[in-house]
């Protein structure tokens, strides 16, 4: 079932100064429960798109409907914000309280939820991101990955149906990156709709569908296998492909008979073993 729909979604910054078209008439639909990755070079419009999902920005033309609500109707703002949580790149900018559990509770308090209910939600949100043991800690004592998981717990406590991640792992080490992607996948398995902007192609490769953005447009929508099958095009845009795709391509060029469509490390390893036999 459709949960988000964009119709000619357009965003122009600084309209008065002639303007910069950051989103150029996007049309797409996302189903409830999908895991969507958004990739594209710097300046292609990913963050601008992210901010339209919860009405942090409003379309300068066209529309976006989130759980059926037109974001540009101010009467819908409450419903939109109630349904969409955001996780940004820098966890330090998102932490607002001196103790982890208070930080996780913050969004719920703003929604005016009863204290007993907030306490229950904070418990289950901390458990969901594996941070229960840290509830009395100061966030400043946590690693980047742990801070990001606290930010996710704060969103979970609000019980939104959709979580938008805007390059949540850009400032993290590989362990922290893995923790965040695992958390996003686990939440998706529980039914949340995930929109995951990333410049790590291995992360994008776990999505149901990838939106490939360039210059304010969505150039292509497809499964990771479809998107990465044309490695040359991805590289022409200045993006990487997953390591397994790259290595398989290099070996093919040297005459090794590897199957098409290798995407993951596991598939690459399996294909290498088959070669030996
Ligand atoms: P991405 O997240 O893919 O790097 P952005 O959505 O941040 O891309 O930016 C898309 C385009 O809009 C870029 O050309 C950027 O310079 C421009 N832009 C982004 N934010 C603003 C702003 N607040 N004011 C004016 N232009 C902006
Ligand atoms: Mg961005």
């Amino acid at each position: 079932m459709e949960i988000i729909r964009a119709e000619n979604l357009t965003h122009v910054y600084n309209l008065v100064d002639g303007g910069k078209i950051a989103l150029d008439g996007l049309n797409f639909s996302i189903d409830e429960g999908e895991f969507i990755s958004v990739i594209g070079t710097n300046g292609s419009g990913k963050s601008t798109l992210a901010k339209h999902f919860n009405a942090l920005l409003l379309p300068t033309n066209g529309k976006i409907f989130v759980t059926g609500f037109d974001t540009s109707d101010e009467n819908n703002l409450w419903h939109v914000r109630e349904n969409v949580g955001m996780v940004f790149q820098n966890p330090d900018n998102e932490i607002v309280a001196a103790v982890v559990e208070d930080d996780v509770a913050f969004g719920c308090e703003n929604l005016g939820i009863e204290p007993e209910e907030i306490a229950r939600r904070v418990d289950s949100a901390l458990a969901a991101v594996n941070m229960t043991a840290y509830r009395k800690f100061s966030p400043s004592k946590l690693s980047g990955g742990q801070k990001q998981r606290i930010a996710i717990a704060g969103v979970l406590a609000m019980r939104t149906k959709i979580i938008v991640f805007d390059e949540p792992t850009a400032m993290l080490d590989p362990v922290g990156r893995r923790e965040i992607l695992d958390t996003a996948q686990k939440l998706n398995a529980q039914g949340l709709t995930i929109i995951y902007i990333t410049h790590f192609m291995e992360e994008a490769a776990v999505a149901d569908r990838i939106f490939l953005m360039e210059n304010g447009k969505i150039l292509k929508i497809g499964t990771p296998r479809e998107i990465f099958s044309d490695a040359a095009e991805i590289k022409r845009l200045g993006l990487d492909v997953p390591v397994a795709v790259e290595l398989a391509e290099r070996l093919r060029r040297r005459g090794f008979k590897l199957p098409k469509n290798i995407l993951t490390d596991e598939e690459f390893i399996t294909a290498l073993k088959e070669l030996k036999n």
Side-chain angles (χ1 to χ4, degrees):
M1 211 180 72
E2 181 180 272
I3 193 162
I4 295 171
R5 184 168 80 253
E7 291 176 356
N8 187 35
L9 176 63
T10 304
H11 195 88
V12 182
Y13 286 108
N14 306 325
L15 256 176
V16 279
D17 305 334
K20 157 78 206 172
I21 301 178
L23 296 179
D24 195 356
L26 308 189
N27 292 290
F28 61 82
S29 153
I30 295 174
D31 279 340
E32 183 156 24
E34 270 198 295
F35 192 125
I36 300 289
S37 284
V38 183
I39 62 174
T41 47
N42 279 338
S44 57
K46 305 180 299 296
S47 294
T48 304
L49 174 59
K51 290 174 188 151
H52 279 269
F53 291 119
N54 81 334
L56 277 175
L57 288 177
L58 297 178
T60 51
N61 203 356
K63 285 193 182 302
I64 180 164
F65 299 88
V66 176
T67 61
F69 295 104
D70 177 350
T71 63
S72 62
D73 181 343
E74 64 184 42
N75 296 318
N76 291 338
L77 187 63
W78 179 260
H79 293 293
V80 171
R81 296 270 164 90
E82 197 178 46
N83 279 310
V84 187
M86 307 287 287
V87 178
F88 293 103
Q89 188 176 104
N90 187 345
D92 289 320
N93 295 344
E94 294 166 72
I95 285 166
V96 292
V99 179
V100 163
E101 62 182 358
D102 297 341
D103 196 79
V104 174
F106 182 75
C108 285
E109 282 162 1
N110 283 341
L111 290 177
I113 295 161
E114 302 269 305
E116 301 78 40
E117 173 63 13
I118 294 180
R120 277 194 294 275
R121 290 186 182 197
V122 168
D123 284 348
S124 70
L126 282 170
V129 300
N130 256 327
M131 287 295 288
T132 304
Y134 296 88
R135 66 182 308 149
K136 301 286 183 194
F137 275 53
S138 160
S140 63
K141 297 277 192 299
L142 304 178
S143 72
Q146 289 172 327
K147 284 180 194 165
Q148 229 16 345
R149 283 190 282 151
I150 293 305
I152 296 170
V155 168
L156 284 178
M158 291 190 279
R159 303 271 159 95
T160 65
K161 290 184 179 152
I162 302 162
I163 305 185
V164 179
F165 294 83
D166 188 357
E167 303 207 25
T169 61
M171 304 182 75
L172 305 184
D173 62 18
V175 175
R177 291 211 291 271
R178 188 72 245 171
E179 289 170 1
I180 300 311
L181 186 65
D182 284 348
T183 305
Q185 287 188 276
K186 186 173 118 189
L187 298 174
N188 180 243
Q190 292 165 5
L192 271 86
T193 305
I194 303 289
I195 298 164
Y196 200 95
I197 299 170
T198 183
H199 66 260
F200 295 105
M201 298 302 137
E202 278 76 14
E203 295 183 350
V206 310
D208 297 315
R209 291 190 297 156
I210 294 177
F211 290 8
L212 171 59
M213 292 192 69
E214 176 63 11
N215 205 8
K217 291 197 161 73
I218 299 182
L219 275 192
K220 236 186 205 179
I221 297 180
T223 64
R225 226 173 279 286
E226 286 162 356
I227 295 290
F228 293 122
S229 67
D230 191 351
E233 185 194 19
I234 299 292
K235 288 192 206 161
R236 211 164 37 240
L237 293 173
L239 296 170
D240 292 324
V241 295
V243 175
V245 174
E246 175 70 24
L247 291 177
E249 184 60 32
R250 288 191 193 187
L251 288 175
R252 272 188 220 105
R253 261 186 265 140
R254 295 186 178 204
F256 290 90
K257 299 264 178 291
L258 288 171
K260 281 265 162 221
N261 285 331
I262 289 176
L263 182 66
T264 66
D265 293 355
E266 290 71 29
E267 288 167 2
F268 181 61
I269 291 164
T270 306
L272 286 182
K273 285 185 184 151
E274 303 269 306
L275 271 187
K276 272 180 61 189
N277 295 337

